[in-house]
Amino acid sequence: MKELTKQIKEKSFHKVYLLTGDEPYLVLQAKHMLKNAMIKEGDTMNYAAFTDGKIDLNTLQELAFTYPFFSEKRLLLLDGTGILKTGKDEFVSIMENMPETTCIIICEPEVDKRSKVYKWIKKNGYVGEFLKKNQTEKVLLRWIAALLGKEKKQIRENNARYFLQKTGDDMFQIKNEIDKLIGPDTEHDDQSQQAGKNILPQADIDAVASGEVQDKIFDLVDAIARKNKAAALSYYNDLILLKEPPMHILFLIVRQYRILHIIANMRGLRKPDDAIAKTAGIPRFAIRKNEQQLRGYGEKMLEKCIEECIQIEEEIKTGRINDQIGVESLICRLML
């Protein structure tokens, strides 16, 4: 982002940008930054977007070779088209020969770094790779503080960590909940203003940050470990009220048990946190929270829970039991 900001400030643009990675929020932000820097809002004469997988390369070439009309740049956006796999040599030829006044932005979540197209862009254009693994707890905490700082609001580090635990590491979710916190309807905002500090208290976080479905799954699994049947079923009913499909709830329960199992095994083998986070598919800072939940589970108990989940899934898929009732009975069975 720093490099893109520098290029925009200096108006020193590459002919081709490839924005990729598994952090879609940053890819989206980078795309909008570049588009807004090159093309005026509403300029349809110098801007064209392709969003499906069937691009007519002749049409693309015609647009790429057309000089802009009363603008410094003509911008072509190829968003999720898969052109790096399908365009190949012909697409490289278009990029090589199009005028400097044309810019192409390609957005793809995954790319083959061995391909000729990727290597050409890497050498002659700009590749921005945005990865979740780089969005560490420290980075996200700084980002939260910066978002609030723009609205002249502050948050203590312990409350920022608490907020992050409720939202998870999804940047869209974090931004959405931050927007709620800085909105005019925050319950305790006036009290903060009157105190003359404008520091967001934990009560504000509890009032607006409801947490993700995965957070509720975590609480459900935690209640199962404590053999608190009433709490576990209450969390399950909350998820049903949120219109979460029972089979997806089951999938997430199994996922949580597998995360715990991976952490328990790899911690026993003295593996580093980075390796554990990668294998479990969670951010590094989430390991600590999951390890706390592990105290309620032994390895054999985790294996038993996963087996019970697989069994109920089979019963649901073969029609022996209704999905909603099946997952509810599973929750009760796991506490026996």
Side-chain angles (χ1 to χ4, degrees), residues 222-251:
D222 200 54
I224 292 171
R226 293 184 281 108
K227 297 192 181 299
N228 188 333
K229 183 177 178 181
L233 291 176
S234 176
Y235 288 126
Y236 178 59
N237 288 329
D238 286 346
L239 289 163
I240 294 297
L241 289 172
L242 289 170
K243 302 186 184 302
E244 198 65 28
M247 290 301 287
H248 188 235
I249 295 172
L250 176 58
F251 166 79

Side-chain angles (χ1 to χ4, degrees), residues 13 15-16 63 80 98 104 150 167 172 185-186 188 245 254 278-280 289 291 298 305 308 315 334:
F13 298 111
K15 286 172 65 174
V16 182
L63 288 170
M98 67 186 190
I104 294 179
K150 288 180 180 178
T167 61
F172 283 107
D185 298 328
T186 304
H188 300 276
V254 174
K278 183 177 181 180
T279 304
K289 181 180 178 182
E291 282 185 323
C305 289
E308 292 279 7
E315 291 178 18
L334 289 171

Side-chain angles (χ1 to χ4, degrees), residues 48-61 63 76-84 86-87 90-91 94 104-106 108:
F50 298 82
T51 56
D52 59 48
K54 293 182 180 179
I55 295 180
D56 182 351
L57 288 175
N58 289 328
T59 300
L60 181 64
Q61 178 172 312
L63 288 170
L76 305 180
L77 172 65
L78 312 181
D79 199 344
T81 62
I83 195 165
L84 270 71
T86 59
E90 194 173 349
F91 183 46
I94 292 172
I104 294 179
I105 298 176
I106 306 163
E108 294 289 345

